[in-house]
Amino acid sequence: CVFEGPQTAGTPPLDRRHWPHVVAGAVCVWGVAAFCQQLDPSAIGTCSGWGASLLLSGARVPQIRHILRSRRVAGLSPALFGLNICGNVAQMAAVVAYSADGYYLAAQMPFLLGCGAPIILDAIIVALIARFSATPPKPTPPVQIPQAQDRRGPYV
């Protein structure tokens, strides 16, 4: 284990398998920042919107992979993901309701994708929570305690 810090219930420690995701996220942020420095100030919002939507959408993928591999959903709240879905739907509706102009929607595409992709990924997580929390745990066999036959045995 690389990082041994305080852990909450259900949070796996950060080990070597997580570092590629951390490094990829840092490289994406660095690349977006370097690209934005070459643009005019009006494009910085669009550029940061694309970066945020990529990072936000990519953050759910390792969690989905972990749930599928471990089949454990302890500590995950379906209400939290449900409220997140409601918030993203409301944000998408607000952007679309403001104007149905094609140029406006094209300019708002990073924000629409930043809301739309987490809706799908959070719905997958809610479905996995429903699937794996309904599975009862495997029963453990009862422990057999040896009984002494007479007073001469080793369990006297």
Side-chain angles (χ1 to χ4, degrees):
C1 185
V2 175
F3 174 73
E4 290 290 340
Q7 298 291 317
T8 58
T11 304
L14 186 64
D15 62 10
R16 288 185 208 119
R17 294 175 296 155
H18 298 100
W19 282 112
H21 301 292
V22 174
V23 171
V27 167
C28 287
V29 169
W30 174 79
V32 167
F35 181 70
C36 285
Q37 288 179 350
Q38 299 172 359
L39 300 175
D40 61 343
S42 65
I44 292 176
T46 303
C47 196
S48 63
W50 279 110
S53 66
L54 287 173
L55 290 175
L56 183 62
S57 300
R60 300 286 194 258
V61 175
Q63 186 171 19
I64 292 172
R65 286 180 50 211
H66 174 72
I67 293 171
L68 288 172
R69 286 183 181 164
S70 67
R71 299 183 183 270
R72 290 183 40 215
V73 292
L76 294 178
S77 171
L80 173 77
F81 289 102
L83 290 173
N84 195 18
I85 290 170
C86 291
N88 284 325
V89 167
Q91 185 175 357
M92 280 186 71
V95 169
V96 172
Y98 182 76
S99 175
D101 181 39
Y103 292 109
Y104 172 77
L105 292 178
Q108 299 300 317
M109 192 56 64
F111 304 106
L112 291 172
L113 290 176
C115 296
I119 289 172
I120 295 167
L121 296 172
D122 287 343
I124 291 171
I125 291 175
V126 169
L128 290 173
I129 291 172
R131 166 67 176 100
F132 294 127
S133 63
T135 305
K138 294 180 180 178
T140 57
V143 177
Q144 297 293 328
I145 300 174
Q147 299 292 326
Q149 296 297 325
D150 59 6
R151 296 191 59 87
R152 294 175 281 158
Y155 303 106
V156 177

